Amino acid sequence: HSSPSCTACPHDYVPQPTNGQPRRCVLPDTELELEGVPCGEDSGLGSVWEANLRMPALARFPGKIPQATVSQDLISTLDVIPSFLSLLEKPIPPNLDGEDMSGTLTGKSKNLESERVLFFWRDGFESGPLPPPYGRFDVAAVKYGRLKAWIYTKSAHYNSDTELYHDPPLLFDVLADPAESNPLDPSDYMEEIEYIKEMAEKHKQSVDLSFPLCLDSDPRYLPCVNRETGCRTDGTPLLETKL
């Protein structure tokens, strides 16, 4: 759905092709350059294909997490804080993102057939409130248990290709097909697709887009800069910080 000459470059790099390097990307005001990829290849920062999202993880907690155990359960990074609060036997705030997956870490429960819903946002869509290349934020894909539905496909952040809308969504079983190379027949999953669409719309309506979310910050979660104050720039000791 994009021009064959369209090149996708990493964040902050811009295409500057030459006769010998049609995919050349350069970082403005520097001598740095690298090779980009065709816009049809969804790679780089912002890609929400499983190949970019799904990463192996290690967890160690003597006395809580059994040694030398392996799990194929899918856990979001959103789940880290609630899961470890549970392992520490601390209360989990009701408005905290993510779910308690401590059962997966301890081996007491499995999540392979979970019906939880995860939403994957992308920016750079056309007709957005922000100027190019930021454009509009929207839900590109939704994961519902082992199913993943692509509502829009588009290459990585800030590339010039236009998003492609899919109706019905592209549907994959990401446990059986983690490469997302064999789309399922949507006619076999119409009930699930309708539920995914309903949940995506409900989720979008719950998000406050009155200001760019990426510009918000909280001094409690800034990188460590001062060990004497518990590594928090506002001077609040770590143990006194409330979630």
Side-chain angles (χ1 to χ4, degrees):
H1 61 282
S2 60
S3 167
S5 63
C6 177
T7 295
C9 296
H11 180 51
D12 287 340
Y13 282 75
V14 295
Q16 281 195 7
T18 65
N19 290 334
Q21 292 180 280
R23 301 293 180 191
R24 178 172 174 258
C25 298
V26 302
L27 185 62
D29 302 320
T30 75
E31 297 181 356
L32 299 175
E33 63 177 70
L34 47 77
E35 198 74 6
V37 298
C39 287
E41 297 182 20
D42 191 352
S43 60
L45 179 68
S47 170
V48 294
W49 292 98
E50 292 294 290
N52 190 61
L53 290 175
R54 196 162 338 164
M55 305 293 175
L58 301 176
R60 181 177 183 271
F61 199 143
K64 293 282 189 178
I65 300 177
Q67 296 184 9
T69 56
V70 179
S71 173
Q72 294 296 322
D73 289 7
L74 301 181
I75 299 179
S76 168
T77 51
L78 295 172
D79 304 329
V80 172
I81 292 179
S83 298
F84 276 94
L85 284 175
S86 178
L87 290 172
L88 292 168
E89 300 180 358
K90 301 294 184 181
I92 300 174
N95 61 344
L96 192 65
D97 287 336
E99 295 186 11
D100 176 10
M101 304 296 291
S102 58
T104 293
L105 298 174
T106 59
K108 295 180 180 179
S109 65
K110 297 295 182 182
N111 187 46
L112 286 173
E113 299 299 329
S114 169
E115 293 188 351
R116 72 178 302 185
V117 181
L118 288 173
F119 305 95
F120 301 94
W121 288 74
R122 286 295 316 277
D123 59 6
F125 284 36
E126 287 192 330
S127 68
L130 297 177
Y134 309 103
R136 185 180 86 249
F137 289 84
D138 211 329
V139 173
V142 179
K143 190 178 288 185
Y144 172 46
R146 61 189 299 150
L147 296 178
K148 185 174 175 185
W150 282 86
I151 301 171
Y152 294 97
T153 50
K154 186 185 184 302
S155 69
H157 278 318
Y158 310 145
N159 291 322
S160 59
D161 58 313
T162 302
E163 68 275 4
L164 182 63
Y165 178 64
H166 300 279
D167 187 18
L170 285 176
L171 197 65
F172 298 94
D173 180 337
V174 293
L175 289 182
D177 178 26
E180 296 172 280
S181 57
N182 298 295
L184 301 172
D185 185 345
S187 64
D188 295 333
Y189 297 89
M190 294 309 297
E191 184 176 341
E192 289 85 351
I193 288 174
E194 288 305 312
Y195 178 72
I196 287 170
K197 287 182 175 181
E198 177 184 338
M199 295 301 292
E201 193 59 35
K202 183 177 179 181
H203 170 64
K204 289 196 292 184
Q205 294 298 323
S206 72
V207 177
D208 180 8
L209 293 175
S210 60
F211 62 95
L213 301 180
C214 58
L215 300 182
D216 197 18
S217 63
D218 190 322
R220 295 177 299 169
Y221 306 113
L222 292 175
C224 173
V225 294
N226 188 336
R227 295 182 183 276
E228 294 181 358
T229 62
C231 302
R232 291 300 184 266
T233 55
D234 64 352
T236 303
L238 177 60
L239 296 179
E240 295 181 10
T241 298
K242 296 181 180 180
L243 293 172

